[in-house]
Every structure is written in structure tokens, then in C-alpha cells.
Amino acid sequence: MASTQFLLASEHSRATCIYHLIGKMERLSASLIQIGKHIGMQTLDDKIQDLLTKKWISPEEACDKAIDKNRFAKLLKTPPDGLQ
């Protein structure tokens, strides 16, 4: 019984570590893209903003596809629940 509980706890710990590692990698990736703007790199949300400014997509589509949904939710007539 004790070995089963240890196995479950260690699986949870590994999952938690992987979750945090992925979050750090996403932030690092976004930082690298921001640094590389001068050579043409851009984030998905920056490109979405560009398409929205050109009126090629709607605010609803922008919010739906964005990584940072809060950035675009303020443009919606009725923001989705949980976003402001």
C-alpha cells in the first residue's frame, strides 16, 4: 500500500514539474521572439493584432485564436466569461 501511494505521489510531482517547465519554456520562447523583432520575428498575438488592425479578421476571431485572450477581449462587445 505504501509503495502505491509513493508511486502516485511521485507521478503527481513529475506532472507538476513538467507543467512548470512548459510554462517557463513558453515564456522563454516569447522573450526570444521579442528580442528578435528587429530581424522580423513576431509573436502570434502581434500578428493577430496586425491582421485586426488591417481589418482582415474580426475582434471575435482575434480573441478566439490569441494566446493572450485578455489582450483582445476588451475589443469584444461581449467578452467571454472569465475575461476582461
Side-chain angles (χ1 to χ4, degrees):
M1 180 78 165
S3 62
T4 304
Q5 290 174 343
F6 177 76
L7 178 62
L8 292 175
S10 64
E11 288 291 325
H12 176 70
S13 297
R14 279 185 266 179
T16 302
C17 289
I18 291 169
Y19 173 80
H20 289 295
L21 181 61
I22 290 170
K24 288 180 182 180
M25 289 171 53
E26 287 175 350
R27 288 189 295 278
L28 176 62
S29 177
S31 296
L32 291 173
I33 291 171
Q34 292 294 332
I35 292 168
K37 274 191 170 189
H38 71 281
I39 58 171
M41 295 178 77
Q42 59 185 325
T43 66
L44 176 64
D45 287 350
D46 288 343
K47 186 59 182 178
I48 289 172
Q49 181 66 57
D50 179 50
L51 295 172
L52 186 60
T53 301
K54 293 176 180 176
K55 300 192 184 299
W56 290 5
I57 62 171
S58 68
E60 291 77 18
E61 189 173 9
C63 187
D64 182 53
K65 304 295 184 196
I67 302 296
D68 180 6
K69 297 195 183 303
N70 287 319
R71 177 177 173 179
F72 299 96
K74 62 187 173 202
L75 304 173
L76 301 176
K77 293 176 184 168
T78 308
D81 291 339
L83 297 178
Q84 295 184 21

